[in-house]
Amino acid sequence: MDPSRKRKLRLVVALGAALILAGALIYTSFSASTEASTPSEVVASAEPGRSYELTGKVAKDSVKRDDDRLRFVIADRDGAGSVPVAYAGVVPDPFREGREVIVSGEMKSGTFVAERDSLVTKCPSKFTKEKTASIGG
Amino acid sequence: MAGVGSACLFAGLLTALYAAAASLYGARSGRREVVVSGRRAIYCLAGLMVGATAVLQSAFLRSDFSYALVAEGSSTDTPTFYKATAMWATQDGSLLLWALLLSVFSSTVLFLTRRSLREIAPYATAVLAVVAGFFLLLMVGWENPFGTLASPPAEGSGLNPLLRHPAMMIHPPMLYTGYVGFAIPFAFAVGALITRNTGADWIRATRKFALVARTFLGTGIMLGALWSYTELGWGGYWAWDPVENASLMPWLFGTAFLHSIMVQEKRGMLKVWNVFLIIGTFVLALLGTFLVRSGILDSIHAFGASTIGVQFLVFIALVIVGSTALVISRLPHLRSEARLDSLLSREAFFLLNNLVLVGLCLVIFWGTFFPLISEAITGTEASVGPPWFNRLTTPLALVLALLMGIGPVVAWRRITPAGLRRALMWPVLATALVLVALLALTSSAERPLAQLMFCLVAFVLAVVVQEFWRGAAARRTISGDPWPRALSRLVARNRRRYGGYLAHAGLVVLFLGVAGSSAFLDQRDVRISPGERFTSGGYSITYLRPTATLGADRAGTGAPITLGAVLRARDKNGKTFLLRPSRNFYPTQDGSKGAIGRFFEGEATSEVDVRWGLRRDVWTAVRPDISALDGPIREANAKFGDASGDVQAVVIAAIVERYRRHAPPATFRAIVSPLVSWIWIGAGIVVLGALIAAWPSPEARLRRARSLYAARLGRDLRAEAS
Amino acid sequence: MEYAAALIVLLCLVAFVVVWPLLRGEGSPAPDEGAREELEAAKEAKYREIRDAELDLQMGKLSSTDHRAIDRELRGEAIEILQRLDELERVTPGR
């Protein structure tokens, strides 16, 4: 095979590999992603069995510990809507009422049942986010 | 003094503008003295930044709360070490750190190249001055670290307790040294493009900066991971958080750059690719700084949007557009001087390595910015989590490990298949042995990917050992030195190559740690009372007793109240050791919690206790349940709310003692992760390798080698002439 | 007030340092010294390449035919650099 043809072949192979990677990227990310929602959105239009990522502020005086479950209410940033949350798992250090949090889970009869260890609290110093996600694939 | 600080900043801005203008004018008009003037302006800028930093640091150390920044980030009871390092925990302070590092590094490189690179240096100066000017503009216009408060508070808010960890305090300067370090090769690349001087000169002058920058960046990333592991309550070291990814991406590009510039130096190839890489690295470094500062991704719905996000974005866009236009206009000068002869060549493997690194970066970029991408495409914001990242990066990491094994044995231009076979025979054999051992002695077959990584690690290490061995053997046949001396002379005369091999070895050891700990960890969350026990990862862990102390925080962070537990762990052989995880409670300034209650309702941090080990770590964290103390705290608030500090201290001591005597069940997390320590050890080896590669050769040895070669070359010259 | 005073003082200092070379005029070293440093660096790099190729041969990575070809090419380039350095010496004599 003469050199220029070899080079063209290599280019084709490289481009092909890149396309495959890009395809894998796009396909897996759209199918494995969780949608971000606010409390009012989730109360209004959540589909049962579908996983959502709920973001908002922890409402004042709403945090209760119920044996090993944590119960609290998340409200919209502007306070418009809110939804009660039932959470099990490790609670990040900065978690407190009035702080902004993200938690993943699904709606079950009016309560947002959270995935274990999925609670994330925004660190107030604006420096980094606190996570309790589990490691490993 | 705050006025002096602000004046330093504004003067710095004007100086930077002058430096840019003078360098450009001097370069275009050919008037050298104007160029020199521009260079001296950069020296002045460094001086001004040092002055401004000194003013700010002295304010922190004196706890001068008339400075808004000091009031926000420090307090009288913050330990001195954390007072000194609190500056870069704030947005404004970290901008100043950027400007300081940039001006000092620029001064250094311009001083070192003051006699060479006559054509390129002025343009590089202008670029560096413009970047510095941008950061100064941000500070002068929007985020002045020297803002003062009309009525200074008596006490500051204190450094966020989560950041009171030595690793977290060195982490920002390390990262910034990395980011800023890449600005130097970027500036010289732009200068080289403008002057059409696209040989390897700009690379040679700035390679050390790129290597040092990349090493500091890597160390900073590792420190962040270490902090996450030892300070946060979740026991992991990497969460694919946008902030973490933001620092990893320039590292990947920078590593690709360091490899591919070798190809340009040796063969004059990949010129376009190299400028693309360094521009990309610098843009990613700016993006990294921007991501942490702007809140655009930290929040899905703009948690804490900052005031400088838009400016950063504009600047980054300008850099991208400007650089791309420049590269396109200079494409004819960036043509390769040679072609790829064979796929079995070092050039080809470097190119492959580059592709994998850039691919990794792309994956991480996509995942990090996915919320914005999905919003743009589908209208709804969605995000991907660690499982997605792990799934896509693992195969690329495996390929990278494979390349690190084969690459070093391949020669420049071409190696014959027979040569390759001979070179790889022993390493492959060694790997096969390792695989057999793994299958026979461990249960690693349960996780095939991890097992594959273990085999690749063995492969790379075998290759590296072989390289050292054969190289030293080759030296011995010439010089007849004994082994140790041959080895040390080998490394000393080929620092870059053998430093690089060592760095590869370190990196795969790191991969070993990651694979082992993520595939085989055992995590247990339990809620137990004193006396009860549980098992995790082959250890039987008993909750012996609770602990409660005042002002005796082991980690030296200044926490007043510490509640914790003593655990006894027993392994399969009956050996026991104690673990003492605890939780520090810091007071809040919020008066609504009550005078006593505020000591329990402020920030709280997990002080984990880890038993480090080469084979596995036992990591524990505790979350004491203080809800049982609510009643006594309420009573105390009512009765002693107005009492003196001493009385309140006694009351708090009593409440804390109550916890110790009647502790309710506490929540524990115990993680047994195999091989985690090798992550840190591997990172250390990488740094060692980088040090060796970057170490300047002593002059004398060089001169001797030079004269030997010159003599030989002279002889050849004469022979050819006759 | 403190700000304005400090600003004026600082700008004066900077101006002094920065204007000094302008007043002195063409006081910088001969332009060819820059070229010499660059050539020296290129020479070092070329020598390193020759050494690397030899090491590769000794370690068995390069076949001797390949090494001969590469070595000849590299030495040719090194000679070129040495010649350019010699020319520079002739143009700016005396060291």
Side-chain angles (χ1 to χ4, degrees):
Chain A
M1 216 190 291
D2 75 288
S4 70
R5 217 174 140 229
K6 227 197 267 190
R7 250 172 256 133
K8 280 200 192 72
L9 191 65
R10 286 184 205 148
L11 192 62
V12 167
V13 170
L15 280 178
L19 275 171
I20 293 178
L21 178 68
L25 210 64
I26 297 177
Y27 177 71
T28 53
S29 54
F30 277 100
S31 57
S33 59
T34 45
E35 205 179 295
S37 319
T38 60
S40 29
E41 285 169 12
V42 122
V43 163
S45 54
E47 292 163 28
R50 186 139 166 240
S51 168
Y52 290 90
E53 208 173 69
L54 188 59
T55 65
K57 264 198 203 169
V58 179
K60 241 181 170 0
D61 294 327
S62 69
V63 181
K64 284 185 243 323
R65 198 156 252 284
D66 169 14
D67 206 19
D68 63 341
R69 261 171 182 269
L70 189 70
R71 287 178 185 277
F72 55 96
V73 173
I74 293 187
D76 283 346
R77 285 191 88 216
D78 53 14
S82 65
V83 64
V85 176
Y87 174 77
V90 176
V91 180
D93 288 338
F95 179 78
R96 201 147 272 116
E97 49 188 47
R99 292 264 165 90
E100 312 228 11
V101 297
I102 310 175
V103 64
S104 307
E106 12 183 282
M107 280 298 279
K108 281 208 184 95
S109 33
T111 304
F112 191 82
V113 178
E115 271 169 42
R116 217 191 154 76
D117 287 348
S118 65
L119 181 59
V120 173
T121 307
K122 175 77 169 65
C123 192
S125 80
K126 227 183 341 191
F127 209 85
T128 184
K129 208 162 48 150
E130 263 287 273
K131 249 199 150 106
T132 52
S134 52
I135 53 178
Chain B
M1 280 307 278
V4 174
S6 287
C8 282
L9 293 182
F10 191 65
L13 179 59
L14 295 176
T15 310
L17 289 173
Y18 173 78
S23 302
L24 285 174
Y25 173 73
R28 298 211 78 92
S29 66
R31 295 183 59 189
R32 280 228 51 81
E33 65 275 12
V34 181
V35 172
V36 174
S37 174
R39 189 171 63 227
R40 297 185 112 207
I42 298 280
Y43 298 160
C44 288
L45 184 63
L48 286 170
M49 291 301 103
V50 169
T53 309
V55 169
L56 193 57
Q57 280 292 52
S58 96
F60 266 102
L61 291 170
R62 283 179 296 123
S63 290
D64 184 345
F65 296 123
S66 63
Y67 288 72
L69 220 58
V70 181
E72 186 188 306
S74 180
S75 56
T76 49
D77 56 2
T78 305
T80 311
F81 175 69
Y82 295 110
K83 274 193 201 152
T85 53
M87 179 180 114
W88 42 82
T90 62
Q91 169 131 304
D92 308 359
S94 56
L95 289 176
L96 182 56
L97 184 63
W98 236 99
L100 172 71
L101 289 170
L102 184 59
S103 55
V104 169
F105 288 176
S106 305
S107 299
T108 310
V109 75
L110 290 177
F111 180 75
L112 290 174
T113 58
R114 66 191 179 286
R115 282 197 269 271
S116 51
L117 296 180
R118 278 306 162 85
E119 293 181 32
I120 301 179
Y123 291 100
T125 312
V127 171
L128 292 168
V130 166
V131 178
F134 168 69
F135 279 88
L136 285 162
L137 185 64
L138 283 181
M139 283 191 282
V140 167
W142 287 275
E143 300 272 351
N144 193 334
F146 296 99
T148 49
L149 299 171
S151 44
E155 178 62 86
S157 311
L159 181 65
N160 188 316
L162 273 176
L163 302 176
R164 295 190 197 190
H165 187 275
M168 214 38 186
M169 286 296 107
I170 316 176
H171 164 87
M174 292 247 149
L175 284 184
Y176 281 20
T177 304
Y179 292 156
V180 172
F182 283 120
I184 311 289
F186 169 75
F188 277 82
V190 171
L193 284 173
I194 294 179
T195 58
R196 299 179 172 78
N197 201 332
T198 53
D201 288 328
W202 68 271
I203 291 179
R204 268 194 284 273
T206 56
R207 173 223 301 284
K208 289 260 163 77
F209 279 88
L211 182 56
V212 169
R214 202 273 312 252
T215 310
F216 272 89
L217 186 57
T219 313
I221 295 174
M222 279 293 111
L223 285 175
L226 187 63
W227 172 75
S228 172
Y229 184 65
T230 56
E231 179 71 21
L232 300 183
W234 68 294
Y237 43 80
W238 192 261
W240 295 112
D241 185 277
V243 165
E244 293 170 327
N245 300 342
S247 57
L248 186 56
M249 290 192 281
W251 188 91
L252 291 167
F253 253 57
T255 305
F257 176 69
L258 279 170
H259 284 89
S260 65
I261 52 177
M262 286 196 251
V263 179
Q264 178 164 342
E265 278 185 284
K266 290 249 149 92
R267 304 289 313 279
M269 298 162 62
L270 298 183
K271 291 187 185 181
V272 179
W273 182 251
N274 278 328
V275 291
F276 160 71
L277 276 180
I278 189 58
I279 293 172
T281 309
F282 183 60
V283 167
L284 285 169
L286 283 177
L287 209 60
T289 313
F290 159 74
L291 267 184
V292 182
R293 302 265 135 249
S294 74
I296 191 174
L297 281 178
D298 252 0
S299 78
I300 294 185
H301 294 288
F303 273 151
S306 84
T307 51
I308 56 173
V310 177
Q311 294 89 323
F312 250 110
L313 221 49
V314 168
F315 186 66
I316 291 175
L318 280 172
V319 169
I320 295 178
V321 170
S323 319
T324 315
L326 185 59
V327 172
I328 293 180
S329 72
R330 297 296 193 263
L331 270 180
H333 295 269
L334 292 170
R335 208 149 285 166
S336 266
E337 292 166 21
R339 295 213 150 279
L340 198 65
D341 290 330
S342 142
L343 272 184
L344 281 182
S345 62
R346 201 166 264 211
E347 300 92 294
F349 271 84
F350 274 24
L351 194 53
L352 265 172
N353 133 302
N354 265 223
L355 292 174
V356 174
L357 286 170
V358 170
L360 258 174
C361 189
L362 238 107
V363 167
I364 296 174
F365 188 87
W366 180 269
T368 308
F369 285 93
F370 193 69
L372 300 175
I373 297 173
S374 69
E375 171 135 53
I377 297 181
T378 66
T380 47
E381 259 187 66
S383 60
V384 287
W388 180 87
F389 279 101
N390 288 332
R391 197 148 35 112
L392 285 185
T393 57
T394 306
L396 289 172
L398 288 167
V399 173
L400 204 59
L402 182 65
L403 290 176
M404 279 197 274
I406 306 182
V409 306
V410 178
W412 289 101
R413 293 195 203 215
R414 178 177 37 248
I415 186 173
T416 56
L420 191 64
R421 239 198 325 272
R422 190 176 35 223
L424 291 182
M425 186 174 63
W426 286 112
V428 169
L429 224 67
T431 308
L433 278 172
V434 167
L435 179 60
V436 167
L438 282 177
L439 287 171
L441 301 173
T442 70
S443 57
S444 56
E446 293 167 17
R447 302 302 216 105
L449 279 182
Q451 193 175 55
L452 179 58
M453 183 55 97
F454 292 158
C455 293
L456 286 173
V457 169
F459 177 61
V460 174
L461 288 176
V463 166
V464 170
V465 166
Q466 182 184 264
E467 283 291 306
F468 274 90
W469 179 285
R470 289 195 179 171
R475 273 212 69 77
R476 277 178 51 123
T477 53
I478 322 171
S479 61
D481 284 331
W483 277 105
R485 192 164 157 71
L487 203 59
S488 69
R489 286 185 67 184
L490 176 75
V491 173
R493 295 193 62 195
N494 293 282
R495 285 177 203 273
R496 238 190 287 164
R497 182 184 279 211
Y498 285 92
Y501 290 167
L502 202 58
H504 283 182
L507 196 61
V508 286
V509 168
L510 195 149
F511 282 5
L512 174 74
V514 171
S517 60
S518 51
F520 297 102
L521 70 79
D522 196 351
Q523 177 175 304
R524 232 27 90 83
D525 291 320
V526 294
R527 192 149 178 269
I528 55 176
S529 301
E532 293 179 1
R533 91 171 95 110
F534 63 102
T535 53
S536 175
Y539 286 84
S540 165
I541 304 179
T542 315
Y543 179 6
L544 287 182
R545 60 181 180 278
T547 61
T549 52
L550 288 181
D553 166 31
R554 261 193 343 238
T557 64
I561 300 177
T562 308
L563 299 177
V566 180
L567 299 169
R568 183 174 57 219
R570 171 185 272 114
D571 70 5
K572 284 195 267 260
N573 304 324
K575 215 161 55 129
T576 63
F577 51 88
L578 294 179
L579 292 161
R580 291 188 164 81
S582 60
R583 200 166 165 78
N584 283 340
F585 293 86
Y586 300 84
T588 171
Q589 307 288 13
D590 182 359
S592 72
K593 304 289 177 187
I596 306 291
R598 72 181 186 94
F599 280 89
F600 293 90
E601 294 294 322
E603 299 294 340
T605 60
S606 260
E607 298 303 315
V608 314
D609 198 4
V610 183
R611 186 176 165 85
W612 304 92
L614 284 181
R615 290 178 60 194
R616 65 183 75 81
D617 277 11
V618 182
W619 180 101
T620 54
V622 66
R623 201 185 175 88
D625 186 356
I626 56 171
S627 57
L629 298 175
D630 279 348
I633 291 177
R634 255 199 310 271
E635 272 183 59
N637 278 336
K639 270 196 256 182
F640 298 101
D642 300 317
S644 74
D646 294 335
V647 174
Q648 288 186 344
V650 171
V651 170
I652 293 175
I655 296 180
V656 155
E657 181 65 16
R658 193 197 175 92
Y659 175 83
R660 202 178 66 78
R661 286 177 184 278
H662 310 280
T667 315
F668 290 93
R669 174 173 272 203
I671 305 179
V672 177
S673 11
L675 304 177
V676 177
S677 300
W678 293 101
I679 298 179
W680 323 118
I681 296 175
I685 298 176
V686 172
V687 171
L688 187 62
L691 265 173
I692 293 177
W695 204 261
S697 313
E699 266 301 299
R701 208 176 296 167
L702 204 62
R703 225 175 284 134
R704 206 183 335 134
R706 207 190 296 169
S707 61
L708 281 171
Y709 262 104
R712 271 180 68 184
L713 216 46
R715 259 179 279 140
D716 294 340
L717 266 172
R718 265 173 275 138
E720 302 216 20
S722 60
Chain C
M1 217 44 248
E2 180 192 311
Y3 174 79
L7 187 61
I8 293 174
V9 168
L10 290 169
L11 285 178
C12 285
L13 275 170
V14 171
F16 176 71
V17 173
V18 150
V19 168
W20 183 263
L22 295 176
L23 298 175
R24 260 194 326 168
E26 196 86 32
S28 41
D32 283 325
E33 227 194 278
R36 153 176 282 115
E37 280 203 22
E38 282 165 34
L39 278 176
E40 289 278 341
K43 187 186 74 172
E44 293 306 321
K46 200 53 68 179
Y47 283 2
R48 190 183 293 122
E49 280 189 61
I50 298 177
R51 266 208 305 269
D52 272 351
E54 241 184 73
L55 188 61
D56 278 352
L57 171 70
Q58 281 155 13
M59 289 179 57
K61 287 188 210 173
L62 273 181
S63 67
S64 27
T65 32
D66 278 337
H67 174 257
R68 256 201 302 277
I70 292 173
D71 190 57
R72 197 173 325 144
E73 209 180 304
L74 288 174
R75 283 172 190 266
E77 292 166 11
I79 290 173
E80 239 177 89
I81 299 177
L82 285 174
Q83 283 172 340
R84 277 160 62 195
L85 267 172
D86 278 344
E87 264 181 51
L88 218 57
E89 288 278 357
R90 255 178 285 134
V91 169
T92 53
R95 213 352 93 187

